[in-house]
């Protein structure tokens, strides 16, 4: 919107400045535009999005279509994808399993926060937090290097995707709760709070790594 202001001799520059401020900042149109702005900042292993976004019950961001937000998220995401740990190993595993690096990074971020030596109270180990029995089946253990751990986790996730006809939601639920749990509930995400939160969080990271690329 173009606003033309004619300054008569009787109007001081101070009054003109105040009028310009009111029109450009205080008007409803400009206020609405300001409310569209999204502040994106990086914090730990997550992208925190504030202003102009809703959140679900777990506080995870729900993306909005907004050109300004798109620019901010894209800039932040590109920087993060380049700087994430184990990027080389993730890309190699993604190529061997026909998965996307963003998906593998999302699982790693959710499972271990990109910590190579992470161990869960249940005994899951490493970047992809494989259970010992699964690790043995894939010939990988907690002392193996990052490339072997990531490839093993990617291979397991790929198998789950095949088992559930390419349904990523069910594959992720099975990765967390086990395939038998998903089948027990007639190929639905089990009603376990941990598993449901896990699936949402992987999607959250996945979207953050890929949106607007």
């Amino acid at each position: 919107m173009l606003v033309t202001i004619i300054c008569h001799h009787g109007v001081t520059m101070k009054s003109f400045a105040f009028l310009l401020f009111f029109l450009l900042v205080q008007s409803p149109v400009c206020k609405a535009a300001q409310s569209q702005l999204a502040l994106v900042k990086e914090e730990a292993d997550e992208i925190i999005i504030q202003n102009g976004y809703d959140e679900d019950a777990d506080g995870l961001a729900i993306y909005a279509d907004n050109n300004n937000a798109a620019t901010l998220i894209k800039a932040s995401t590109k920087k993060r994808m380049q700087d994430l740990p184990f990027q080389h190993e993730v890309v190699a595993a993604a190529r061997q399993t026909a998965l996307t690096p963003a998906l593998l990074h999302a699982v790693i971020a959710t499972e271990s926060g990109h910590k190579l030596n992470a161990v869960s109270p249940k005994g899951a180990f490493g970047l992809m937090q494989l259970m010992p029995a699964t690790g043995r089946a894939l010939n990988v253990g907690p002392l193996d290097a990052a490339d072997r751990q990531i490839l093993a986790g990617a291979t397991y996730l790929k198998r789950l995707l095949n088992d559930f006809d390419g349904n990523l939601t069910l594959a992720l639920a099975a990765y967390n709760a086990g395939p038998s749990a998903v089948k027990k509930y007639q190929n639905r995400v089990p009603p376990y709070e941990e598993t449901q939160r896990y699936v949402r969080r992987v999607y959250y990271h996945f979207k953050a790594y890929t949106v607007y690329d």
Side-chain angles (χ1 to χ4, degrees), residues 46-64 200 204:
E46 299 179 0
I47 294 179
I48 308 301
I49 304 174
Q50 299 173 332
N51 301 337
Y53 285 83
D54 294 323
E55 291 183 343
D56 67 12
D58 291 320
L60 303 185
I62 300 172
Y63 294 99
R200 286 194 297 269
Y204 169 66

Side-chain angles (χ1 to χ4, degrees), residues 33-42 46-53 63-81 207-213:
Q34 288 175 343
S35 69
Q36 298 285 327
L37 298 180
L39 172 63
V40 179
K41 64 178 181 178
E42 296 177 24
E46 299 179 0
I47 294 179
I48 308 301
I49 304 174
Q50 299 173 332
N51 301 337
Y53 285 83
Y63 294 99
D65 288 327
N66 176 324
N67 290 335
N68 195 25
T71 301
L72 291 171
I73 294 171
K74 184 174 182 179
S76 180
T77 301
K78 283 191 171 181
K79 177 182 177 183
R80 287 175 55 82
M81 283 295 290
K207 289 178 182 179
Y209 295 145
T210 59
V211 71
Y212 300 117
D213 267 0

Side-chain angles (χ1 to χ4, degrees), residues 69-186:
T71 301
L72 291 171
I73 294 171
K74 184 174 182 179
S76 180
T77 301
K78 283 191 171 181
K79 177 182 177 183
R80 287 175 55 82
M81 283 295 290
Q82 292 172 356
D83 297 339
L84 283 171
F86 310 109
Q87 171 74 347
H88 176 76
E89 293 87 345
V90 165
V91 170
R95 287 173 178 166
Q96 292 184 61
T97 56
L99 299 175
T100 65
L103 176 59
L104 296 184
H105 271 305
V107 172
I108 292 171
T110 304
E111 290 283 359
S112 66
H114 285 87
K115 295 178 178 64
L116 180 62
N117 299 319
V119 179
S120 79
K122 296 181 180 179
F125 66 87
L127 291 165
M128 303 289 283
Q129 289 289 282
L130 295 171
M131 293 299 290
T134 305
R136 287 192 295 271
L138 294 166
N139 195 29
V140 66
L143 299 181
D144 279 305
D147 59 339
R148 286 182 52 78
Q149 289 191 17
I150 293 171
L151 179 57
T155 300
Y156 182 51
L157 180 58
K158 181 68 173 184
R159 289 179 185 175
L160 293 173
L161 276 167
N162 291 336
D163 289 345
F164 291 100
D165 298 321
N167 188 312
L168 179 57
T169 298
L170 295 182
L172 291 173
Y175 195 100
N176 176 261
S180 59
V182 175
K183 293 174 183 177
K184 175 183 176 181
Y185 289 96
Q186 292 76 48

Side-chain angles (χ1 to χ4, degrees), residues 184-203:
K184 175 183 176 181
Y185 289 96
Q186 292 76 48
N187 284 348
R188 295 180 180 177
V189 177
Y192 310 148
E193 182 179 351
E194 176 190 341
T195 300
Q196 293 181 357
R197 180 177 177 85
Y198 172 86
V199 171
R200 286 194 297 269
R201 189 159 290 277
V202 172
Y203 270 114

